[in-house]
Amino acid sequence: LDEPVKELNHLSVDTQVTYPALMHHQTDSRPDIVIQFYDGQQHHIVFIECKLASSEGVEQLSRYADHLNVFSAKGSRCYLIYLTQYFEEKDGTSLSSKSPNLKFMQLRWYQIYKWIKQSAIQSDYASKLLDYMEEIGLEDNRKFSPIDVYGIQHMNRLQRMMDECMDDAVDGLMTELFGKALQQYNRYNQLKY
């Protein structure tokens, strides 16, 4: 938020709230988290969209901005937070142009991890949450270990060895069982198919 909350009241946190499609939308909108509260008499609404192994849906953030614009027209202060595991740049200015009172923030999961870890509030819940985030790789410490550097230095050799393994007996057996694989430029897609 742009400034600290002074007089918090009527706080609500909901998940998967469905907002019916506006006239120019093709689908309904369902932000992952909706936070609403009042700071004195001022209503605030926050839409949070969380992404892990997926990317933005069709016009998803734009639709959310449109819905927040409706709240903004009624005097609410509106915020849209896009939370991703990997870098996925979004144009916040085009979203804000739909609603001049909309504040758009793009965050990464590792920033949330860092914030929780550095928070003055330490609890069993926070500790378990941090452990879980580490378990699924959301802490993203962004520091290469010696093993990482070694792997990068020898990546071509490892890829050649994998290709040889896949092109030899495995390829013959897979062709015998499932037919010839589709030829794909990207070896990861080829393996999948």
Side-chain angles (χ1 to χ4, degrees), residues 64-94:
Y64 293 175
D66 290 341
H67 284 287
L68 288 168
N69 193 32
V70 172
F71 284 99
S72 179
K74 296 175 184 174
S76 297
R77 310 256 331 246
C78 300
Y79 307 86
L80 176 56
I81 298 173
Y82 189 56
L83 182 57
T84 60
Q85 182 174 8
Y86 303 110
F87 180 75
E88 186 183 333
E89 187 171 1
K90 296 295 174 188
D91 183 11
T93 54
S94 70

Side-chain angles (χ1 to χ4, degrees), residues 103-115:
K103 302 286 185 209
F104 175 74
M105 261 185 282
Q106 188 168 357
L107 296 172
R108 303 257 313 274
W109 278 106
Y110 82 88
Q111 293 171 294
I112 301 299
Y113 174 88
K114 210 165 143 183
W115 176 74

Side-chain angles (χ1 to χ4, degrees), residues 167-179:
D167 289 343
D168 198 15
V170 173
D171 185 52
L173 181 60
M174 296 296 276
T175 300
E176 181 183 319
L177 294 173
F178 303 107

Side-chain angles (χ1 to χ4, degrees), residues 2-188:
D2 9 6
E3 52 196 56
V5 175
K6 297 175 184 125
E7 192 183 321
L8 177 67
N9 55 61
H10 296 88
L11 172 67
S12 70
V13 179
D14 298 296
T15 60
Q16 303 295 323
V17 176
T18 300
Y19 293 89
L22 297 176
M23 194 172 309
H24 59 285
H25 292 173
Q26 293 181 12
T27 63
D28 294 343
S29 296
R30 188 174 27 239
D32 290 322
I33 302 170
V34 177
I35 302 171
Q36 296 189 63
F37 62 92
Y38 284 84
D39 183 5
Q41 298 298 313
Q42 179 64 60
H43 178 253
H44 294 257
I45 184 165
V46 182
F47 282 8
I48 302 174
E49 183 60 30
C50 307
K51 298 293 184 186
L52 280 177
S54 60
S55 56
E56 178 189 2
V58 177
E59 298 292 318
Q60 189 174 23
L61 295 178
S62 181
R63 284 185 283 117
Y64 293 175
D66 290 341
H67 284 287
L68 288 168
N69 193 32
V70 172
F71 284 99
S72 179
K74 296 175 184 174
S76 297
R77 310 256 331 246
C78 300
Y79 307 86
L80 176 56
I81 298 173
Y82 189 56
L83 182 57
T84 60
Q85 182 174 8
Y86 303 110
F87 180 75
E88 186 183 333
E89 187 171 1
K90 296 295 174 188
D91 183 11
T93 54
S94 70
L95 293 173
S96 296
S97 68
K98 290 176 165 271
S99 175
N101 297 323
L102 173 69
K103 302 286 185 209
F104 175 74
M105 261 185 282
Q106 188 168 357
L107 296 172
R108 303 257 313 274
W109 278 106
Y110 82 88
Q111 293 171 294
I112 301 299
Y113 174 88
K114 210 165 143 183
W115 176 74
I116 294 169
K117 194 161 181 98
Q118 295 172 349
S119 172
I121 302 169
Q122 295 301 319
S123 67
D124 286 342
Y125 178 75
S127 177
K128 288 184 188 313
L129 180 60
L130 291 172
D131 289 345
Y132 177 70
M133 291 178 82
E134 288 170 10
E135 186 179 310
I136 62 172
L138 294 180
E139 84 286 1
D140 192 12
N141 66 14
R142 304 167 66 88
K143 292 181 183 171
F144 289 96
S145 71
I147 293 170
D148 298 328
V149 173
Y150 183 81
I152 290 170
Q153 289 173 333
H154 299 288
M155 193 178 304
N156 287 338
R157 180 177 164 272
L158 293 171
Q159 192 65 60
R160 277 194 314 275
M161 289 170 58
M162 287 184 69
D163 286 346
E164 287 175 22
C165 288
M166 292 305 295
D167 289 343
D168 198 15
V170 173
D171 185 52
L173 181 60
M174 296 296 276
T175 300
E176 181 183 319
L177 294 173
F178 303 107
K180 189 75 177 147
L182 298 174
Q183 293 299 313
Q184 299 281 327
Y185 174 74
N186 182 319
R187 63 175 38 93
Y188 302 108

